Amino acid sequence: MVSFIALIFSMGFALEIPTGLSRPDQARAMEVVGLGTSSKFLSNAYPLGGYSGLEVSLTMESLNTSDLSQLGNTTSADKEFLYPNITVGKGIYNDSDLFLHFTPPTKTQEMTKFGASYRWGFYQALFLPLNFSLVLNADMANIKNQFTTKNIGADLLIGMNVSEFSFFIGGGYANSSGQFSGGIAGVTASQASESQKVESSHFTFGGLYNFDPFFAGLAINRYVESVYSLKVGLLF
């Protein structure tokens, strides 16, 4: 697991923010990157707090950045941006979980990110393997000191556990506030620092397969654009 994480972070993950961004261009960049990098749920549908469990995992997220490269003065960047997240989750009191996640800076990684999510499992069906959860999240991301985002969101999830499989579906709201740098090395058309804010509904669907103590999962998150996630980890 440690070797796999080291390999992931030795790879290059390029995200190029075009220069000369107008106000509408900035809003579109926020829809693609701001909302796209929001915290996402991808864990066991049953609360870790129900088991007092500990999760350590690595997620790879994929954003479609083809529209981003056509904004402003345009770039020749890749049409897809992959970036890793390390997550540590802990079950706490009363079917509640706390997840901390981060994308640490490296020589090749052009984005740093950290955030937290809180899940409260507030209802479990008596005769069916169904449960309902509320998930709250907040995070911050910095891309080459040219573009920073602050994201918040809330979702209602319905989860189901069947044998070694765990599924969830849900939706809610996401909000992203961004700051675009100005000056000679900046990205705005006005060359002054400018801020933007966007919001969107959010839909999510995913599933995990548990092969104790490991698990692997896939999820799709739909904001203005879709984001795909692959996660592997350990559950203690």
Side-chain angles (χ1 to χ4, degrees):
M1 182 72 173
V2 175
S3 299
F4 177 65
I5 292 175
L7 175 63
I8 290 296
F9 282 98
S10 68
M11 299 168 60
F13 304 93
L15 178 60
E16 190 73 24
I17 303 298
T19 59
L21 296 178
S22 65
R23 296 286 295 179
D25 288 341
Q26 294 169 27
R28 182 59 180 145
M30 290 295 301
E31 291 176 345
V32 174
V33 181
L35 293 172
T37 57
S38 296
S39 300
K40 303 165 187 68
F41 178 82
L42 181 48
S43 186
N44 197 297
Y46 190 80
L48 301 177
Y51 300 114
S52 298
L54 173 67
E55 173 191 313
V56 179
S57 58
L58 172 66
T59 307
M60 292 298 299
E61 297 189 10
S62 172
L63 280 67
N64 182 350
T65 55
S66 56
D67 282 1
L68 180 67
S69 63
Q70 301 305 309
L71 301 177
N73 295 331
T74 72
T75 70
S76 57
D78 294 337
K79 295 183 178 181
E80 186 176 38
F81 174 54
L82 293 171
Y83 72 94
N85 257 326
I86 293 177
T87 300
V88 178
K90 181 67 177 73
I92 53 179
Y93 178 73
N94 195 28
D95 288 342
S96 297
D97 303 329
L98 179 64
F99 298 90
L100 303 177
H101 56 86
F102 62 96
T103 300
T106 68
K107 291 182 179 180
T108 56
Q109 178 70 25
E110 296 180 337
M111 182 181 77
T112 58
K113 179 176 179 287
F114 65 91
S117 298
Y118 171 77
R119 172 174 64 167
W120 172 44
F122 62 87
Y123 177 78
Q124 297 176 29
L126 294 178
F127 303 107
L128 293 172
L130 292 176
N131 65 82
F132 294 76
S133 299
L134 175 66
V135 179
L136 305 176
N137 59 73
D139 61 82
M140 299 178 64
N142 184 315
I143 303 163
K144 300 166 64 174
N145 292 322
Q146 295 176 327
F147 175 32
T148 60
T149 68
K150 296 179 180 179
N151 308 316
I152 58 172
D155 295 294
L156 179 65
L157 299 182
I158 302 173
M160 178 176 65
N161 281 25
V162 180
S163 187
E164 289 82 15
F165 292 92
S166 181
F167 303 96
F168 62 87
I169 188 171
Y173 164 84
N175 177 289
S176 183
S177 301
Q179 185 77 27
F180 295 83
S181 66
I184 297 175
V187 296
T188 62
S190 67
Q191 299 213 340
S193 294
E194 297 181 357
S195 59
Q196 282 279 4
K197 180 181 291 186
V198 296
E199 57 185 17
S200 171
S201 58
H202 174 224
F203 169 80
T204 182
F205 172 76
L208 273 77
Y209 177 72
N210 298 284
F211 42 107
D212 191 34
F214 300 97
F215 67 88
L218 294 167
I220 180 172
N221 288 267
R222 176 70 183 182
Y223 304 93
V224 178
E225 300 290 337
S226 295
V227 182
Y228 301 91
S229 304
L230 167 65
K231 188 174 190 177
V232 294
L234 287 164
L235 185 60
F236 302 95

